[in-house]
Amino acid sequence: MTSVVLVTGAATGIGNLTARALAAAGHTVYASMRDIHGRNSGRAEELLELGRSQGQDIRVVELDVQSDASADAAVATVLDEAGRLDTVVHNAGHLYVGYVEAFTPEDIHRLLDINAVGIQRVNRAALPHMRSRRSGTLVYVGSTTSVVVPPFLGPYVASKFAADALAQVTAYEVGQFGIETTIVMPGPFTQGTEHFPNAGRAGDGERTRAYAELDPMVARNEQATEGLFPPGADAHPRAVAEEITRVLALPHGTRPFRTVVDFSQAGVEEVNEVLRRAQEDFVTRLGFGELLRIKETGPEPGPAAPASRPADARTG
């Protein structure tokens, strides 16, 4: 079934790969990024040329998740051009690497603004339309770090915890308007993204130097991560794009609430299952068990306008 999909953070990495995969599957894809006429103009044109050469409906839209006005304008563009918005893939994010004490409050505020509050901005722009149609899907690119909590990524892990919590509680509420949620949890990747090369560092150099005896651990972090992958594993983020494409191909009402794409064998699926049971039991005992089910009130997405082509039960 084809959808009109908005992908945030589509300039590079998982977002870019997801935009490409969804367009190849026949969806109408709005690949969003910042500064499409400036520093990302080449990346934007590459996606547009891909669409032209492959006969795919892939478009580019300006979206800075740190701006309410930008989020509103991006969603308005999608609605003006395509007539509807079926799916938002929340992918935009940034990474910080360093010692927690060395990150200033301003550093952490900025990362939370990008990785968590940015999701809220885009949801507030998109959800009025989805609620009015009583149909839609929110896909969040989360992280296994919110389960395994690796060292030297403190502000990033905190921001992914916050984003995951927002996604979960939002899901209870929007599900009553026929809107599905899937949280995709990628494990670590050491290739195929600019996540680590472009990672931010702590703003307080003096506090960073105070932890110098731990620097060798930080230096070998990437090598240590690669050591977690089984021999011969192709630990590439294209697997996340493929999983998002698979999930969106499932019939409405049957998409998983969580799915894990992890080559590090961290056991996140087992933790998720324990968490699911505890949450469902708690919410049911509160008397709000209906919030655990998607209310089937809206229509299945129809053809997009113009020129669109084709793109497990909820488990906790």
Side-chain angles (χ1 to χ4, degrees):
M1 183 188 322
T2 61
S3 301
V4 177
V5 185
L6 173 65
V7 182
T8 69
T12 62
I14 288 172
N16 187 274
L17 293 166
T18 298
R20 291 167 181 262
L22 291 174
H27 298 280
T28 295
V29 176
Y30 282 82
S32 77
M33 61 192 76
R34 293 179 296 166
D35 202 11
I36 61 175
H37 300 297
R39 68 170 185 161
N40 281 323
S41 60
R43 291 167 172 145
E45 181 54 35
E46 186 178 343
L47 288 173
L48 293 172
E49 177 55 33
L50 174 69
R52 289 190 291 264
S53 65
Q54 300 298 317
Q56 298 168 0
D57 195 358
I58 185 166
R59 315 176 192 191
V60 175
V61 64
E62 178 83 23
L63 202 171
D64 179 355
V65 299
Q66 290 188 272
S67 164
D68 292 6
S70 181
D72 290 341
V75 170
T77 296
V78 175
L79 296 179
D80 287 345
E81 293 183 4
R84 70 171 203 268
L85 174 58
D86 302 310
T87 301
V88 176
V89 178
H90 289 288
N91 166 77
H94 188 55
L95 178 67
Y96 276 175
V97 177
Y99 309 113
V100 176
E101 184 187 341
F103 288 97
T104 66
E106 292 75 21
D107 290 337
I108 295 178
H109 181 276
R110 176 175 181 266
L111 196 67
L112 286 166
D113 192 50
I114 296 169
N115 291 358
V117 181
I119 286 172
Q120 181 71 356
R121 291 188 180 98
V122 176
N123 272 349
R124 280 175 54 82
L127 282 173
H129 169 73
M130 290 183 172
R131 281 189 292 100
S132 70
R133 296 183 67 236
R134 305 186 81 83
S135 179
T137 303
L138 301 175
V139 178
Y140 299 86
V141 179
S143 174
T144 58
T145 62
S146 59
V147 173
V148 297
V149 192
F152 313 127
L153 304 176
Y156 177 78
V157 174
S159 71
K160 298 307 279 189
F161 263 113
D164 193 285
L166 274 175
Q168 289 185 69
V169 181
T170 300
Y172 293 142
E173 299 157 3
V174 301
Q176 302 310 292
F177 296 87
I179 299 167
E180 282 188 287
T181 293
T182 293
I183 302 172
V184 181
M185 302 177 72
F189 294 101
T190 56
Q191 60 168 324
T193 78
E194 297 183 13
H195 218 33
F196 277 93
N198 288 343
R201 303 289 166 169
D204 189 331
E206 182 179 352
R207 301 290 178 100
T208 295
R209 289 188 290 275
Y211 284 84
E213 63 193 81
L214 301 182
D215 286 353
M217 291 187 186
V218 178
R220 70 171 190 266
N221 188 40
E222 188 169 327
Q223 181 183 0
T225 299
E226 289 176 347
L228 299 175
F229 303 149
D234 182 18
H236 193 282
R238 74 173 70 88
V240 182
E242 291 166 356
E243 178 63 2
I244 292 171
T245 303
R246 182 193 73 83
V247 166
L248 291 184
L250 297 172
H252 186 76
T254 70
R255 292 164 187 145
F257 186 66
R258 288 190 186 274
T259 182
V260 177
V261 184
D262 179 26
F263 294 89
S264 72
Q265 302 175 307
V268 171
E269 295 90 343
E270 290 83 356
V271 175
N272 286 346
E273 178 58 20
V274 173
L275 178 65
R276 179 193 67 81
R277 291 200 302 267
Q279 289 176 327
E280 290 191 356
D281 177 68
F282 182 76
V283 172
T284 299
R285 288 192 296 113
L286 281 174
F288 300 142
E290 68 267 28
L291 297 179
L292 300 171
R293 296 178 290 278
I294 303 297
K295 187 172 288 185
E296 294 299 328
T297 57
E300 287 290 307
S308 88
R309 307 175 16 207
D312 322 353
R314 177 181 172 113
T315 56

